[in-house]
Amino acid sequence: MTPRREDTTPPETAMPLQDAVAPGQEAAVLLERARVLVDPELRAAVESLPGPIRRVAMYHFGWQQPNGTPSEGRAGKAIRPALVLAAARALGGDPRQAVRAAVAVELVHNFTLLHDDVIDEDRTRRHRPTAWAVFGVPDAIVAGDAVLALAQRLLAEDVGPAGARASARLSNCVIELCAGQQADCAFADRGPQDVSLDECLTMATAKTGALLGCACALGALYAGAEERAVEAMDGFGREAGLAFQLIDDLIGIWGDPARTGKPVGADLAAHKKSLPVVAALVSGRPAAAELAALYRGSMSTPDEVRRAADAVERAGGRDWAQMSAADRMARAVHHLSGAVPDLAGAGDLLTLAEFVTRRTH
């Protein structure tokens, strides 16, 4: 079994936000509280891996340098674990009872990152080289596989009433994630204007929305919610996840490298058919043809990347993505009201949802 650590978290860590929190800092506080609850169990799980695999995983999570010495890095923003805990709280549960599920979701997320970096040939993540760039493709893929297995084991070992249902839901989510990733890869072999916006939205919902939906649904399960509320929470997370992806795609084009840890216009240089790009390509505007021509070329110079970003904007891709993100959040809130009629009780979830649609990196 995965080593468990005694819960020494003070009770106030899991409590709702207090009035003393400065405006604009609510999401940061929620994410930090999630880290306090989740990181000990997350690290214990990763440390249970066999030595060579553990070394790759510990580096990926930011806890070690390539040579195995300690590092002060952070294992991401903890958005997905925070959603698990906030969903449990919104439905009257104790977030500490959902920590195992929050860890499992974060492990699945990092499984996707390890594999995505290989598939996309991304060399930078969180301001340092990706795992495959340091350890090689085989070790990064195997580490991702092991991290996924850890997630499944955590829920399979849970003998509580939510364990079996949570394990099945997470497994179905991973299959959907894989389908979304396969579709994303398949887009690369099609012409710039041969991918429809509906196809791209379906892909993004599977690749990103599914895991955020699963995170919220698992929180509901561990709160003992009925199936109707679990499904409503899943719908909330899926729509919020699509809004998240829309913003992420915008950051992939116009994000500040100093904050994102990736080169400017990295998604354009990689010829990714992201949501704002596809919206621009199918817009019928003159700039769409210009963008398509750039996508048929190498786009290997900073000037070409800059021109592509400008074409996406002139073809309406940027405005469409921003408006669509707002629309998806409105749909998310509608789903949430089906699980929590009095939205005052879901303040943490709404705070996190606002954070993912207003972030800049």
Side-chain angles (χ1 to χ4, degrees):
M1 291 178 60
T2 302
R4 295 296 303 267
R5 297 184 178 183
E6 184 178 356
D7 184 6
T8 58
T9 304
E12 63 269 18
T13 303
M15 291 173 63
L17 294 172
Q18 303 299 315
D19 293 337
V21 176
Q25 294 299 309
E26 295 92 344
V29 171
L30 286 171
L31 294 173
E32 184 57 32
R33 289 180 178 176
R35 276 277 168 240
V36 170
L37 282 171
V38 170
D39 270 5
E41 291 284 348
L42 177 63
R43 186 156 184 161
V46 173
E47 288 176 344
S48 74
L49 292 170
I53 298 175
R54 180 174 66 244
R55 182 179 174 185
V56 178
M58 292 289 284
Y59 171 82
H60 167 76
F61 278 97
W63 298 322
Q64 287 185 359
Q65 301 289 356
N67 63 3
T69 58
S71 173
E72 296 299 321
R74 297 292 297 271
K77 297 182 181 68
I79 292 170
R80 292 155 188 83
L83 285 171
V84 175
L85 304 182
R89 184 183 299 118
L91 289 167
D94 181 351
R96 287 170 293 183
Q97 299 301 313
V99 168
R100 181 185 288 260
V103 172
V105 167
E106 186 70 347
L107 287 168
V108 167
H109 173 53
N110 280 275
F111 142 74
T112 68
L113 296 183
L114 281 159
H115 283 200
D116 283 0
D117 286 342
V118 171
I119 293 169
D120 297 338
E121 298 183 350
D122 283 339
R123 289 187 166 271
T124 305
R125 181 174 293 281
R126 298 167 185 159
H127 303 280
R128 64 179 190 164
T130 49
W132 76 266
V134 174
F135 299 99
V137 169
D139 279 358
I141 291 175
V142 170
D145 294 342
V147 166
L148 173 59
L150 275 181
Q152 299 290 4
R153 187 174 76 182
L154 277 176
L155 296 183
E157 290 175 348
D158 187 353
V159 296
R165 292 171 66 197
S167 180
R169 185 174 282 270
L170 188 64
S171 295
N172 287 331
C173 172
V174 171
I175 293 170
E176 189 173 357
L177 284 173
C178 291
Q181 179 63 66
Q182 191 279 330
D184 193 20
C185 292
F187 289 171
D189 296 327
R190 295 165 63 179
Q193 294 173 304
D194 293 338
V195 176
S196 72
L197 196 50
D198 283 345
E199 287 179 296
C200 200
L201 286 166
T202 299
M203 176 276 294
T205 301
K207 189 175 176 181
T208 302
L211 188 56
L212 269 70
C214 184
C216 296
L218 293 192
L221 283 173
Y222 277 83
E226 61 184 36
E227 188 62 23
R228 179 189 58 80
V230 173
E231 290 300 325
M233 280 294 190
D234 184 86
F236 166 78
R238 281 175 178 272
E239 294 291 355
L242 195 46
F244 179 100
Q245 186 60 58
L246 284 156
I247 299 302
D248 198 62
D249 286 350
L250 290 171
I251 293 170
I253 299 173
W254 290 284
D256 180 358
R259 306 191 72 182
T260 65
K262 292 186 176 184
V264 64
D267 285 358
L268 294 174
H271 294 72
K272 289 198 69 172
K273 295 183 179 71
S274 61
L275 286 162
V277 167
V278 172
L281 286 168
V282 302
S283 67
R285 299 185 184 184
E290 180 183 339
L291 180 61
L294 286 165
Y295 257 63
R296 292 188 186 98
S298 63
M299 222 181 326
S300 57
T301 68
D303 180 63
E304 287 175 318
V305 171
R306 180 194 59 76
R307 286 166 51 204
D310 181 62
V312 172
E313 184 153 17
R314 286 187 288 111
R318 188 173 192 169
D319 287 343
W320 174 86
Q322 290 171 335
M323 289 187 295
S324 294
D327 175 64
R328 292 293 171 170
M329 278 312 309
R331 298 186 193 194
V333 172
H334 177 73
H335 282 288
L336 182 59
S337 66
V340 188
D342 183 1
L343 291 179
D348 291 354
L349 276 174
L350 293 172
T351 294
L352 291 169
E354 181 181 16
F355 168 76
V356 302
T357 56
R358 293 183 182 272
R359 64 198 179 92
T360 57
H361 65 287

PDB file of all heavy atoms in Angstrom, residues 297-329:
ATOM      1  N   GLY A 297       3.482  26.554 -43.735  1.00  0.00           N
ATOM      2  CA  GLY A 297       4.925  26.728 -43.788  1.00  0.00           C
ATOM      3  C   GLY A 297       5.614  26.244 -42.525  1.00  0.00           C
ATOM      4  O   GLY A 297       5.029  25.545 -41.702  1.00  0.00           O
ATOM      5  N   SER A 298       6.849  26.643 -42.372  1.00  0.00           N
ATOM      6  CA  SER A 298       7.640  26.161 -41.230  1.00  0.00           C
ATOM      7  C   SER A 298       7.353  26.943 -39.956  1.00  0.00           C
ATOM      8  O   SER A 298       7.413  26.407 -38.859  1.00  0.00           O
ATOM      9  CB  SER A 298       9.131  26.275 -41.552  1.00  0.00           C
ATOM     10  OG  SER A 298       9.494  27.635 -41.741  1.00  0.00           O
ATOM     11  N   MET A 299       7.029  28.220 -40.083  1.00  0.00           N
ATOM     12  CA  MET A 299       6.812  29.119 -38.954  1.00  0.00           C
ATOM     13  C   MET A 299       7.948  28.985 -37.931  1.00  0.00           C
ATOM     14  O   MET A 299       7.719  28.767 -36.737  1.00  0.00           O
ATOM     15  CB  MET A 299       5.469  28.871 -38.293  1.00  0.00           C
ATOM     16  CG  MET A 299       4.809  30.203 -37.948  1.00  0.00           C
ATOM     17  SD  MET A 299       3.212  30.156 -37.134  1.00  0.00           S
ATOM     18  CE  MET A 299       2.380  28.769 -37.778  1.00  0.00           C
ATOM     19  N   SER A 300       9.167  29.084 -38.423  1.00  0.00           N
ATOM     20  CA  SER A 300      10.334  28.827 -37.592  1.00  0.00           C
ATOM     21  C   SER A 300      11.013  30.087 -37.069  1.00  0.00           C
ATOM     22  O   SER A 300      11.927  30.001 -36.259  1.00  0.00           O
ATOM     23  CB  SER A 300      11.364  28.009 -38.382  1.00  0.00           C
ATOM     24  OG  SER A 300      11.723  28.691 -39.585  1.00  0.00           O
ATOM     25  N   THR A 301      10.552  31.253 -37.518  1.00  0.00           N
ATOM     26  CA  THR A 301      11.192  32.489 -37.081  1.00  0.00           C
ATOM     27  C   THR A 301      10.262  33.284 -36.172  1.00  0.00           C
ATOM     28  O   THR A 301       9.030  33.168 -36.261  1.00  0.00           O
ATOM     29  CB  THR A 301      11.566  33.366 -38.291  1.00  0.00           C
ATOM     30  OG1 THR A 301      10.365  33.850 -38.912  1.00  0.00           O
ATOM     31  CG2 THR A 301      12.386  32.574 -39.299  1.00  0.00           C
ATOM     32  N   PRO A 302      10.816  34.111 -35.280  1.00  0.00           N
ATOM     33  CA  PRO A 302       9.977  34.955 -34.422  1.00  0.00           C
ATOM     34  C   PRO A 302       9.037  35.851 -35.215  1.00  0.00           C
ATOM     35  O   PRO A 302       7.909  36.103 -34.784  1.00  0.00           O
ATOM     36  CB  PRO A 302      11.005  35.777 -33.629  1.00  0.00           C
ATOM     37  CG  PRO A 302      12.232  34.928 -33.609  1.00  0.00           C
ATOM     38  CD  PRO A 302      12.249  34.228 -34.931  1.00  0.00           C
ATOM     39  N   ASP A 303       9.476  36.330 -36.368  1.00  0.00           N
ATOM     40  CA  ASP A 303       8.621  37.194 -37.183  1.00  0.00           C
ATOM     41  C   ASP A 303       7.406  36.440 -37.693  1.00  0.00           C
ATOM     42  O   ASP A 303       6.281  36.972 -37.701  1.00  0.00           O
ATOM     43  CB  ASP A 303       9.412  37.756 -38.363  1.00  0.00           C
ATOM     44  CG  ASP A 303       8.561  38.675 -39.240  1.00  0.00           C
ATOM     45  OD1 ASP A 303       8.108  39.726 -38.720  1.00  0.00           O
ATOM     46  OD2 ASP A 303       8.331  38.327 -40.416  1.00  0.00           O
ATOM     47  N   GLU A 304       7.602  35.182 -38.124  1.00  0.00           N
ATOM     48  CA  GLU A 304       6.470  34.383 -38.601  1.00  0.00           C
ATOM     49  C   GLU A 304       5.485  34.101 -37.464  1.00  0.00           C
ATOM     50  O   GLU A 304       4.258  34.135 -37.664  1.00  0.00           O
ATOM     51  CB  GLU A 304       6.990  33.069 -39.199  1.00  0.00           C
ATOM     52  CG  GLU A 304       7.672  33.234 -40.544  1.00  0.00           C
ATOM     53  CD  GLU A 304       8.279  31.944 -41.043  1.00  0.00           C
ATOM     54  OE1 GLU A 304       8.897  31.208 -40.232  1.00  0.00           O
ATOM     55  OE2 GLU A 304       8.152  31.652 -42.244  1.00  0.00           O
ATOM     56  N   VAL A 305       6.008  33.815 -36.278  1.00  0.00           N
ATOM     57  CA  VAL A 305       5.141  33.579 -35.118  1.00  0.00           C
ATOM     58  C   VAL A 305       4.350  34.845 -34.793  1.00  0.00           C
ATOM     59  O   VAL A 305       3.143  34.790 -34.512  1.00  0.00           O
ATOM     60  CB  VAL A 305       5.975  33.121 -33.912  1.00  0.00           C
ATOM     61  CG1 VAL A 305       5.112  33.096 -32.641  1.00  0.00           C
ATOM     62  CG2 VAL A 305       6.569  31.736 -34.158  1.00  0.00           C
ATOM     63  N   ARG A 306       5.017  35.995 -34.842  1.00  0.00           N
ATOM     64  CA  ARG A 306       4.335  37.255 -34.557  1.00  0.00           C
ATOM     65  C   ARG A 306       3.234  37.519 -35.589  1.00  0.00           C
ATOM     66  O   ARG A 306       2.129  37.942 -35.236  1.00  0.00           O
ATOM     67  CB  ARG A 306       5.348  38.396 -34.564  1.00  0.00           C
ATOM     68  CG  ARG A 306       4.741  39.770 -34.272  1.00  0.00           C
ATOM     69  CD  ARG A 306       5.705  40.894 -34.626  1.00  0.00           C
ATOM     70  NE  ARG A 306       6.083  40.862 -36.031  1.00  0.00           N
ATOM     71  CZ  ARG A 306       5.310  41.259 -37.026  1.00  0.00           C
ATOM     72  NH1 ARG A 306       4.069  41.701 -36.783  1.00  0.00           N
ATOM     73  NH2 ARG A 306       5.728  41.205 -38.284  1.00  0.00           N
ATOM     74  N   ARG A 307       3.531  37.257 -36.851  1.00  0.00           N
ATOM     75  CA  ARG A 307       2.529  37.458 -37.893  1.00  0.00           C
ATOM     76  C   ARG A 307       1.346  36.516 -37.720  1.00  0.00           C
ATOM     77  O   ARG A 307       0.183  36.892 -37.964  1.00  0.00           O
ATOM     78  CB  ARG A 307       3.176  37.255 -39.264  1.00  0.00           C
ATOM     79  CG  ARG A 307       4.090  38.410 -39.688  1.00  0.00           C
ATOM     80  CD  ARG A 307       4.967  38.013 -40.876  1.00  0.00           C
ATOM     81  NE  ARG A 307       4.176  37.444 -41.974  1.00  0.00           N
ATOM     82  CZ  ARG A 307       4.675  36.629 -42.894  1.00  0.00           C
ATOM     83  NH1 ARG A 307       5.950  36.242 -42.827  1.00  0.00           N
ATOM     84  NH2 ARG A 307       3.905  36.185 -43.864  1.00  0.00           N
ATOM     85  N   ALA A 308       1.618  35.285 -37.305  1.00  0.00           N
ATOM     86  CA  ALA A 308       0.528  34.333 -37.081  1.00  0.00           C
ATOM     87  C   ALA A 308      -0.363  34.797 -35.936  1.00  0.00           C
ATOM     88  O   ALA A 308      -1.602  34.730 -36.022  1.00  0.00           O
ATOM     89  CB  ALA A 308       1.097  32.947 -36.792  1.00  0.00           C
ATOM     90  N   ALA A 309       0.236  35.274 -34.853  1.00  0.00           N
ATOM     91  CA  ALA A 309      -0.547  35.770 -33.716  1.00  0.00           C
ATOM     92  C   ALA A 309      -1.416  36.954 -34.138  1.00  0.00           C
ATOM     93  O   ALA A 309      -2.593  37.056 -33.762  1.00  0.00           O
ATOM     94  CB  ALA A 309       0.381  36.169 -32.570  1.00  0.00           C
ATOM     95  N   ASP A 310      -0.844  37.828 -34.953  1.00  0.00           N
ATOM     96  CA  ASP A 310      -1.590  38.982 -35.448  1.00  0.00           C
ATOM     97  C   ASP A 310      -2.748  38.538 -36.339  1.00  0.00           C
ATOM     98  O   ASP A 310      -3.862  39.090 -36.266  1.00  0.00           O
ATOM     99  CB  ASP A 310      -0.645  39.900 -36.222  1.00  0.00           C
ATOM    100  CG  ASP A 310      -1.353  41.136 -36.754  1.00  0.00           C
ATOM    101  OD1 ASP A 310      -1.854  41.922 -35.927  1.00  0.00           O
ATOM    102  OD2 ASP A 310      -1.413  41.298 -37.995  1.00  0.00           O
ATOM    103  N   ALA A 311      -2.511  37.505 -37.151  1.00  0.00           N
ATOM    104  CA  ALA A 311      -3.569  37.001 -38.032  1.00  0.00           C
ATOM    105  C   ALA A 311      -4.701  36.368 -37.231  1.00  0.00           C
ATOM    106  O   ALA A 311      -5.885  36.528 -37.563  1.00  0.00           O
ATOM    107  CB  ALA A 311      -2.995  35.990 -39.023  1.00  0.00           C
ATOM    108  N   VAL A 312      -4.361  35.636 -36.176  1.00  0.00           N
ATOM    109  CA  VAL A 312      -5.396  35.051 -35.311  1.00  0.00           C
ATOM    110  C   VAL A 312      -6.271  36.160 -34.736  1.00  0.00           C
ATOM    111  O   VAL A 312      -7.511  36.049 -34.716  1.00  0.00           O
ATOM    112  CB  VAL A 312      -4.758  34.226 -34.166  1.00  0.00           C
ATOM    113  CG1 VAL A 312      -5.832  33.786 -33.169  1.00  0.00           C
ATOM    114  CG2 VAL A 312      -4.029  33.006 -34.708  1.00  0.00           C
ATOM    115  N   GLU A 313      -5.641  37.232 -34.304  1.00  0.00           N
ATOM    116  CA  GLU A 313      -6.406  38.327 -33.708  1.00  0.00           C
ATOM    117  C   GLU A 313      -7.279  39.014 -34.753  1.00  0.00           C
ATOM    118  O   GLU A 313      -8.464  39.277 -34.513  1.00  0.00           O
ATOM    119  CB  GLU A 313      -5.452  39.332 -33.059  1.00  0.00           C
ATOM    120  CG  GLU A 313      -6.172  40.454 -32.332  1.00  0.00           C
ATOM    121  CD  GLU A 313      -5.365  41.047 -31.206  1.00  0.00           C
ATOM    122  OE1 GLU A 313      -4.135  40.840 -31.168  1.00  0.00           O
ATOM    123  OE2 GLU A 313      -5.969  41.722 -30.353  1.00  0.00           O
ATOM    124  N   ARG A 314      -6.719  39.322 -35.923  1.00  0.00           N
ATOM    125  CA  ARG A 314      -7.497  40.018 -36.953  1.00  0.00           C
ATOM    126  C   ARG A 314      -8.624  39.157 -37.503  1.00  0.00           C
ATOM    127  O   ARG A 314      -9.648  39.683 -37.964  1.00  0.00           O
ATOM    128  CB  ARG A 314      -6.561  40.455 -38.088  1.00  0.00           C
ATOM    129  CG  ARG A 314      -5.688  41.650 -37.702  1.00  0.00           C
ATOM    130  CD  ARG A 314      -4.882  42.184 -38.872  1.00  0.00           C
ATOM    131  NE  ARG A 314      -3.787  41.292 -39.249  1.00  0.00           N
ATOM    132  CZ  ARG A 314      -3.721  40.585 -40.358  1.00  0.00           C
ATOM    133  NH1 ARG A 314      -4.726  40.625 -41.241  1.00  0.00           N
ATOM    134  NH2 ARG A 314      -2.681  39.826 -40.616  1.00  0.00           N
ATOM    135  N   ALA A 315      -8.457  37.835 -37.437  1.00  0.00           N
ATOM    136  CA  ALA A 315      -9.525  36.936 -37.904  1.00  0.00           C
ATOM    137  C   ALA A 315     -10.573  36.672 -36.821  1.00  0.00           C
ATOM    138  O   ALA A 315     -11.523  35.912 -37.044  1.00  0.00           O
ATOM    139  CB  ALA A 315      -8.915  35.613 -38.365  1.00  0.00           C
ATOM    140  N   GLY A 316     -10.401  37.289 -35.660  1.00  0.00           N
ATOM    141  CA  GLY A 316     -11.416  37.188 -34.608  1.00  0.00           C
ATOM    142  C   GLY A 316     -11.214  36.063 -33.621  1.00  0.00           C
ATOM    143  O   GLY A 316     -12.060  35.864 -32.727  1.00  0.00           O
ATOM    144  N   GLY A 317     -10.114  35.312 -33.723  1.00  0.00           N
ATOM    145  CA  GLY A 317      -9.914  34.169 -32.837  1.00  0.00           C
ATOM    146  C   GLY A 317      -9.754  34.547 -31.384  1.00  0.00           C
ATOM    147  O   GLY A 317     -10.269  33.855 -30.495  1.00  0.00           O
ATOM    148  N   ARG A 318      -9.079  35.641 -31.145  1.00  0.00           N
ATOM    149  CA  ARG A 318      -8.851  36.065 -29.763  1.00  0.00           C
ATOM    150  C   ARG A 318     -10.153  36.503 -29.100  1.00  0.00           C
ATOM    151  O   ARG A 318     -10.468  36.073 -27.976  1.00  0.00           O
ATOM    152  CB  ARG A 318      -7.818  37.194 -29.721  1.00  0.00           C
ATOM    153  CG  ARG A 318      -7.369  37.581 -28.321  1.00  0.00           C
ATOM    154  CD  ARG A 318      -6.220  38.588 -28.379  1.00  0.00           C
ATOM    155  NE  ARG A 318      -5.591  38.766 -27.087  1.00  0.00           N
ATOM    156  CZ  ARG A 318      -4.444  39.426 -26.894  1.00  0.00           C
ATOM    157  NH1 ARG A 318      -3.809  39.962 -27.943  1.00  0.00           N
ATOM    158  NH2 ARG A 318      -3.935  39.561 -25.690  1.00  0.00           N
ATOM    159  N   ASP A 319     -10.911  37.358 -29.779  1.00  0.00           N
ATOM    160  CA  ASP A 319     -12.188  37.825 -29.222  1.00  0.00           C
ATOM    161  C   ASP A 319     -13.154  36.666 -29.026  1.00  0.00           C
ATOM    162  O   ASP A 319     -13.862  36.595 -28.013  1.00  0.00           O
ATOM    163  CB  ASP A 319     -12.820  38.870 -30.147  1.00  0.00           C
ATOM    164  CG  ASP A 319     -12.092  40.207 -30.100  1.00  0.00           C
ATOM    165  OD1 ASP A 319     -11.315  40.436 -29.153  1.00  0.00           O
ATOM    166  OD2 ASP A 319     -12.293  41.012 -31.033  1.00  0.00           O
ATOM    167  N   TRP A 320     -13.202  35.755 -29.993  1.00  0.00           N
ATOM    168  CA  TRP A 320     -14.106  34.606 -29.879  1.00  0.00           C
ATOM    169  C   TRP A 320     -13.767  33.769 -28.652  1.00  0.00           C
ATOM    170  O   TRP A 320     -14.664  33.350 -27.897  1.00  0.00           O
ATOM    171  CB  TRP A 320     -14.022  33.741 -31.132  1.00  0.00           C
ATOM    172  CG  TRP A 320     -14.831  32.480 -31.006  1.00  0.00           C
ATOM    173  CD1 TRP A 320     -16.165  32.322 -31.278  1.00  0.00           C
ATOM    174  CD2 TRP A 320     -14.360  31.212 -30.519  1.00  0.00           C
ATOM    175  NE1 TRP A 320     -16.557  31.023 -30.989  1.00  0.00           N
ATOM    176  CE2 TRP A 320     -15.467  30.318 -30.524  1.00  0.00           C
ATOM    177  CE3 TRP A 320     -13.123  30.744 -30.095  1.00  0.00           C
ATOM    178  CZ2 TRP A 320     -15.369  28.998 -30.110  1.00  0.00           C
ATOM    179  CZ3 TRP A 320     -13.014  29.426 -29.670  1.00  0.00           C
ATOM    180  CH2 TRP A 320     -14.123  28.566 -29.684  1.00  0.00           C
ATOM    181  N   ALA A 321     -12.486  33.510 -28.433  1.00  0.00           N
ATOM    182  CA  ALA A 321     -12.077  32.681 -27.302  1.00  0.00           C
ATOM    183  C   ALA A 321     -12.420  33.351 -25.977  1.00  0.00           C
ATOM    184  O   ALA A 321     -12.889  32.692 -25.036  1.00  0.00           O
ATOM    185  CB  ALA A 321     -10.580  32.382 -27.380  1.00  0.00           C
ATOM    186  N   GLN A 322     -12.217  34.646 -25.890  1.00  0.00           N
ATOM    187  CA  GLN A 322     -12.529  35.356 -24.647  1.00  0.00           C
ATOM    188  C   GLN A 322     -14.034  35.344 -24.363  1.00  0.00           C
ATOM    189  O   GLN A 322     -14.452  35.104 -23.227  1.00  0.00           O
ATOM    190  CB  GLN A 322     -12.008  36.791 -24.733  1.00  0.00           C
ATOM    191  CG  GLN A 322     -10.484  36.875 -24.684  1.00  0.00           C
ATOM    192  CD  GLN A 322      -9.952  38.264 -24.991  1.00  0.00           C
ATOM    193  OE1 GLN A 322     -10.605  39.062 -25.674  1.00  0.00           O
ATOM    194  NE2 GLN A 322      -8.763  38.571 -24.503  1.00  0.00           N
ATOM    195  N   MET A 323     -14.839  35.581 -25.399  1.00  0.00           N
ATOM    196  CA  MET A 323     -16.292  35.559 -25.209  1.00  0.00           C
ATOM    197  C   MET A 323     -16.785  34.144 -24.908  1.00  0.00           C
ATOM    198  O   MET A 323     -17.679  33.949 -24.078  1.00  0.00           O
ATOM    199  CB  MET A 323     -16.991  36.118 -26.445  1.00  0.00           C
ATOM    200  CG  MET A 323     -16.812  37.622 -26.626  1.00  0.00           C
ATOM    201  SD  MET A 323     -17.798  38.318 -27.983  1.00  0.00           S
ATOM    202  CE  MET A 323     -17.056  37.517 -29.415  1.00  0.00           C
ATOM    203  N   SER A 324     -16.195  33.155 -25.548  1.00  0.00           N
ATOM    204  CA  SER A 324     -16.599  31.765 -25.318  1.00  0.00           C
ATOM    205  C   SER A 324     -16.263  31.319 -23.907  1.00  0.00           C
ATOM    206  O   SER A 324     -17.009  30.550 -23.291  1.00  0.00           O
ATOM    207  CB  SER A 324     -15.932  30.842 -26.339  1.00  0.00           C
ATOM    208  OG  SER A 324     -16.400  31.105 -27.646  1.00  0.00           O
ATOM    209  N   ALA A 325     -15.125  31.784 -23.377  1.00  0.00           N
ATOM    210  CA  ALA A 325     -14.765  31.432 -22.005  1.00  0.00           C
ATOM    211  C   ALA A 325     -15.812  31.963 -21.030  1.00  0.00           C
ATOM    212  O   ALA A 325     -16.218  31.260 -20.091  1.00  0.00           O
ATOM    213  CB  ALA A 325     -13.379  31.989 -21.671  1.00  0.00           C
ATOM    214  N   ALA A 326     -16.258  33.195 -21.254  1.00  0.00           N
ATOM    215  CA  ALA A 326     -17.295  33.764 -20.386  1.00  0.00           C
ATOM    216  C   ALA A 326     -18.599  32.981 -20.511  1.00  0.00           C
ATOM    217  O   ALA A 326     -19.290  32.716 -19.515  1.00  0.00           O
ATOM    218  CB  ALA A 326     -17.511  35.234 -20.738  1.00  0.00           C
ATOM    219  N   ASP A 327     -18.956  32.590 -21.739  1.00  0.00           N
ATOM    220  CA  ASP A 327     -20.178  31.815 -21.963  1.00  0.00           C
ATOM    221  C   ASP A 327     -20.109  30.458 -21.267  1.00  0.00           C
ATOM    222  O   ASP A 327     -21.087  30.016 -20.652  1.00  0.00           O
ATOM    223  CB  ASP A 327     -20.403  31.621 -23.458  1.00  0.00           C
ATOM    224  CG  ASP A 327     -21.591  30.722 -23.755  1.00  0.00           C
ATOM    225  OD1 ASP A 327     -22.720  31.098 -23.414  1.00  0.00           O
ATOM    226  OD2 ASP A 327     -21.370  29.625 -24.319  1.00  0.00           O
ATOM    227  N   ARG A 328     -18.948  29.800 -21.349  1.00  0.00           N
ATOM    228  CA  ARG A 328     -18.792  28.487 -20.712  1.00  0.00           C
ATOM    229  C   ARG A 328     -18.882  28.603 -19.196  1.00  0.00           C
ATOM    230  O   ARG A 328     -19.400  27.711 -18.523  1.00  0.00           O
ATOM    231  CB  ARG A 328     -17.468  27.854 -21.127  1.00  0.00           C
ATOM    232  CG  ARG A 328     -17.424  27.467 -22.599  1.00  0.00           C
ATOM    233  CD  ARG A 328     -18.394  26.341 -22.912  1.00  0.00           C
ATOM    234  NE  ARG A 328     -18.518  26.114 -24.344  1.00  0.00           N
ATOM    235  CZ  ARG A 328     -19.155  25.077 -24.884  1.00  0.00           C
ATOM    236  NH1 ARG A 328     -19.730  24.177 -24.103  1.00  0.00           N
ATOM    237  NH2 ARG A 328     -19.236  24.947 -26.192  1.00  0.00           N
ATOM    238  N   MET A 329     -18.388  29.704 -18.637  1.00  0.00           N
ATOM    239  CA  MET A 329     -18.512  29.874 -17.202  1.00  0.00           C
ATOM    240  C   MET A 329     -19.967  30.095 -16.783  1.00  0.00           C
ATOM    241  O   MET A 329     -20.403  29.629 -15.724  1.00  0.00           O
ATOM    242  CB  MET A 329     -17.640  31.032 -16.728  1.00  0.00           C
ATOM    243  CG  MET A 329     -16.180  30.648 -16.521  1.00  0.00           C
ATOM    244  SD  MET A 329     -15.963  29.105 -15.563  1.00  0.00           S
ATOM    245  CE  MET A 329     -16.978  29.428 -14.131  1.00  0.00           C
TER     246      MET A 329
END
